[in-house]
Amino acid sequence: SMDVLIAANVLHATRRFDTTLEQCYRLLKPGGILVINELTQRLDYNTLTFGLTTGWWLYEDENERIAGAPLLSPRNWVRKLKQAGFGEVDLQGVPGVDPHDQAQCIVTAIKCSAPATRSASMPGAAPYALQPADPIAVSLTANHTSTALAGVS
């Protein structure tokens, strides 16, 4: 189990977000932080560039994605992470731009450190109890956006 999991422009390239986020959740210790850097808008330049690769089009959960792209909107990132069992979810981007209007976001999500149940809407999701977080994970949760990386050596 990990304290911090960083995924930079990679989670969109998976077949199903539910499965991917469930696996991220399982990799983290209770109180652990998932830090995601992802495109959050369909931009013609990106579709032209990356759309030429087969991986861009491998997703199977089209109804979850932005139309014509394998990406999630900022709102859907928050919704999907909450469904996967994460507690606090935060979006950051260009200062002065609403987080939900960002073309690319840093998304942070904390794995709950209290007993929790997974979303019943996730296929195969089973309820399970979480263990208390270790000291480093607890110290990172106070202000996860600004200290997630600074607190880890």
Side-chain angles (χ1 to χ4, degrees):
S1 293
M2 301 178 179
D3 293 307
V4 178
L5 182 59
I6 300 172
N9 288 313
V10 67
L11 296 183
H12 70 270
T14 60
R15 292 186 187 275
R16 302 195 62 76
F17 270 111
D18 288 344
T19 302
T20 300
L21 295 178
E22 180 178 330
Q23 291 171 351
C24 290
Y25 189 89
R26 288 182 180 170
L27 285 171
L28 287 168
K29 292 180 181 179
I33 301 170
L34 174 59
V35 181
I36 302 166
N37 178 11
E38 281 284 351
L39 293 167
T40 52
Q41 286 184 7
R42 188 190 67 77
L43 303 171
D44 291 339
Y45 174 80
N46 291 328
T47 304
L48 177 63
T49 304
F50 301 112
L52 297 174
T53 65
T54 55
W56 189 254
W57 306 108
L58 290 179
Y59 56 92
E60 297 171 351
D61 53 356
E62 186 173 347
N63 61 323
E64 301 288 344
R65 313 287 177 129
I66 294 172
L71 311 172
L72 286 182
S73 68
R75 281 180 177 78
N76 274 349
W77 272 112
V78 172
R79 184 178 60 79
K80 297 303 289 179
L81 287 162
K82 295 278 187 178
Q83 283 179 348
F86 287 91
E88 189 174 344
V89 177
D90 188 39
L91 298 168
Q92 296 294 321
V94 177
V97 177
D98 184 286
H100 295 285
D101 293 331
Q102 299 286 340
Q104 181 143 359
C105 286
I106 302 294
V107 184
T108 55
I110 298 175
K111 182 175 180 175
C112 299
S113 58
T117 351
R118 302 295 295 274
S119 169
S121 67
M122 291 183 65
Y128 56 90
L130 304 177
Q131 302 301 313
D134 68 24
I136 190 166
V138 171
S139 69
L140 292 174
T141 61
N143 183 357
H144 67 280
T145 301
S146 60
T147 61
L149 301 176
V152 178
S153 54

